[in-house]
Structure formats: C-alpha cells, structure tokens
Amino acid sequence: MKPTFEDTVKIARVLALWGHIMDDHELSRLGEVLTEDAVWDAGAFGFHPVVGLDAIASVLSADGHARAHHTTNVVVSEGLGEKVRARSKGLGVVDGGAVISAVYEDELRRTDDGWRIARHAIHVK
C-alpha cells in the first residue's frame, strides 16, 4: 500500500506516542501504538524478539531500558498488502546521561482504531 500524506502524519504521531508511553511508564497503553500480535525485536540490545502486548509489556518492564526515547527523521514508505514501512532514528538517554542512537524499522498496519505498529525492530548503527 502506498501511504498518503494523511497516513504519514498519523503514522508519525504513533511513532512519537511510542516514546511518550515508554517514558511515562504507561505500558498499559501499548495497544494505542501496537497491534495485539505485534513483534518487538531489540536483539541489538540483547533481548530476544517477543510477540503480543503482554509479552512486550513484560520485557519493557525490566530494568535496562533507556530513560528517555526520542523518535526523529521519520520516513514512511510503501509496504506489502495493507502495511506500510517506517524508518526513523531513535535517540535514547541512558543511565549516566549518555545518549545512544538507533534506527527503528517498523511495519505498520491500519486497524479499526487507526495505524498501529505490527513489527518494531531496533538496530544500533
């Protein structure tokens, strides 16, 4: 599917909301940004991929995550079927104040509630 300008704006909002949910520790709101069957892959940080909101919330509740999450440089492109792809940069502030840079590779799917991330993969470049 080829995303429209309106799709791109809505997708950028979902990607930004992800960071706010993480930083506010409101993991009960993950359904506002992820599909029920979402895959979260942070192998770059030593985590095994997990599937589903409950499993993702469990992993994200563990210690060792960045204290602040910022999503920038969002590029939305065509995907297969009813999905689109988004590539963005992630900046995270970790203990001690160091900043890490990552690349987010996301697949998003339109649901009855709007765009949601179906697959979120984090790469360190």
Side-chain angles (χ1 to χ4, degrees):
M1 126 171 250
K2 184 173 177 139
T4 65
F5 176 76
E6 185 177 323
D7 290 331
T8 299
V9 170
K10 289 178 180 180
I11 289 165
R13 183 188 182 284
V14 167
L15 298 177
L17 183 56
W18 164 264
H20 289 284
I21 288 171
M22 291 294 297
D23 294 348
D24 294 340
H25 306 286
E26 296 181 328
L27 299 180
S28 63
R29 295 179 60 200
L30 284 175
E32 293 178 37
V33 295
L34 300 173
T35 62
E36 289 285 329
D37 61 347
V39 176
W40 184 82
D41 182 356
F45 296 102
F47 294 95
H48 295 288
V50 293
V51 179
L53 294 176
D54 290 340
I56 294 168
S58 178
V59 169
L60 296 178
S61 296
D63 290 336
H65 297 281
R67 301 213 177 273
H69 300 78
H70 304 275
T71 303
T72 67
N73 304 42
V74 176
V75 177
V76 179
S77 58
E78 197 169 342
L80 297 175
E82 289 298 309
K83 293 182 182 176
V84 297
R85 295 178 301 138
R87 189 167 195 258
S88 56
K89 296 286 188 167
L91 296 172
V93 179
V94 296
D95 287 336
V99 176
I100 58 166
S101 177
V103 173
Y104 296 143
E105 301 268 349
D106 293 300
E107 285 184 1
L108 292 100
R109 186 169 64 224
R110 190 188 322 262
T111 71
D112 291 341
D113 296 319
W115 286 101
R116 297 294 185 265
I117 301 166
R119 180 175 177 75
H120 180 72
I122 307 166
H123 308 281
V124 178
K125 303 250 178 174

